[in-house]
Amino acid sequence: DVLGSCAEEHEHAEGAACCDSHEELLLGDGITVAVLDSGITSFETAKDISFVDDAEFSEHGNMMAETLINEVPEITLYDVRVLDSEGKGKYSDISEAIVWSVDNDADIIVMSFEGFEASTILEDAINYAAQNDVLMIAAAGNDGLEKAVYPAAYPTVISAGSLNEDGNISSFSNYGASVDVFVNASAGTSVAAQHVAADAVRYMQENPSATDEEAREALVGSKSKDFTPVSGSADSYVYEAV
């Protein structure tokens, strides 16, 4: 992890006792994360909503939630379903889900799926979240190519790629100018996005007055992405980044 817990890093003057607030710090407490995925059925969530008409569920959403909860167990978790049982979702549904997450006071939106074209449908929702100071994190994609996928390619979204055990970019991970940060995640860029979200939670907990731009800079440094807004509004599809 690039960020440690406040309880571990906090310092006092020599001989002074540690304050109760740091002794009792619970990782994730006070931070709300909206997991846009295939649904969460194995963990308790503070709010849940589905934008998908499918009675069956894949386990992808549960895997993402488990990864996140293992790192920051005290987060307030929103289950925002945008993928069907086959791991497929529509830009229009995702856009509605992003707006819902912002309007319901999410601090972070994490999205472990990839689409292959830009669209104003998605772009408008991404801009709405950024304007409302909500940090967005997405999987860079598992195609093993130097290419942009969406929503990860948007400049206000942190794109998370994967490193293998040797510290090199995983063979399956997308790479290139559109990827902001790489973390150890042999299970895929979906999991990488959750690790980065956990780091973001810790940063926000330590820096409660920080903006989403400050959190993004803490996580990825000064890296920025070039992006040209599109004029088309086609309703395309995304696929879970397995």
Side-chain angles (χ1 to χ4, degrees):
D1 296 336
V2 298
L3 300 168
S5 73
C6 187
E8 293 172 341
E9 294 187 349
H10 184 70
E11 295 181 357
H12 283 279
E14 184 176 355
C18 188
C19 55
D20 291 341
S21 63
H22 287 285
E23 289 178 341
E24 299 175 0
L25 183 68
L26 301 174
L27 285 175
D29 188 32
I31 307 298
T32 300
V33 181
V35 177
L36 275 58
D37 214 280
S38 64
I40 300 170
T41 59
S42 298
F43 302 92
E44 183 177 351
T45 59
K47 292 185 179 182
D48 63 88
I49 188 170
S50 178
F51 295 88
V52 177
D53 184 17
D54 188 350
E56 301 296 324
F57 290 82
S58 80
E59 281 299 307
H60 194 264
N62 285 328
M63 292 167 58
M64 299 304 103
E66 182 176 15
T67 300
L68 194 56
I69 291 170
N70 282 344
E71 293 197 47
V72 282
E74 300 301 322
I75 58 168
T76 299
L77 190 65
Y78 287 174
D79 168 19
V80 186
R81 190 181 185 195
V82 295
L83 304 179
D84 63 20
S85 57
E86 296 180 350
K88 186 177 179 181
K90 295 176 66 175
Y91 279 21
S92 55
D93 292 335
I94 291 161
S95 297
E96 288 186 43
I98 290 171
V99 171
W100 180 91
S101 299
V102 173
D103 291 347
N104 281 271
D105 301 319
D107 299 301
I108 298 169
I109 296 172
V110 59
M111 300 170 282
S112 289
F113 44 77
E114 56 180 320
F116 303 107
E117 57 187 295
S119 170
T120 54
I121 291 175
L122 187 56
E123 191 174 319
D124 288 346
I126 293 291
N127 290 339
Y128 179 72
Q131 291 161 4
N132 284 276
D133 207 34
V134 177
L135 185 67
M136 293 167 287
I137 300 159
N142 297 335
D143 310 292
L145 298 173
E146 185 178 5
K147 71 172 184 178
V149 300
Y150 302 92
Y154 289 101
T156 54
V157 178
I158 296 176
S159 175
S162 169
L163 297 176
N164 60 27
E165 294 179 353
D166 297 324
N168 299 316
I169 296 175
S170 300
S171 60
F172 56 77
S173 178
N174 287 346
Y175 57 93
S178 65
V179 183
D180 294 300
V181 63
F182 291 88
V183 297
N184 291 326
S186 59
T189 61
S190 280
V191 172
Q194 306 304 319
H195 289 323
V196 174
D199 284 339
V201 168
R202 286 187 281 266
Y203 176 82
M204 289 182 173
Q205 194 172 23
E206 294 173 17
N207 302 274
S209 298
T211 65
D212 69 314
E213 291 183 359
E214 290 169 332
R216 190 182 306 110
E217 184 175 353
L219 292 164
V220 307
S222 59
K223 181 178 174 62
S224 61
K225 292 180 286 194
D226 292 328
F227 180 78
T228 303
V230 299
S231 57
S233 59
D235 191 5
S236 189
Y237 289 92
V238 299
Y239 305 87
E240 65 186 23
V242 179

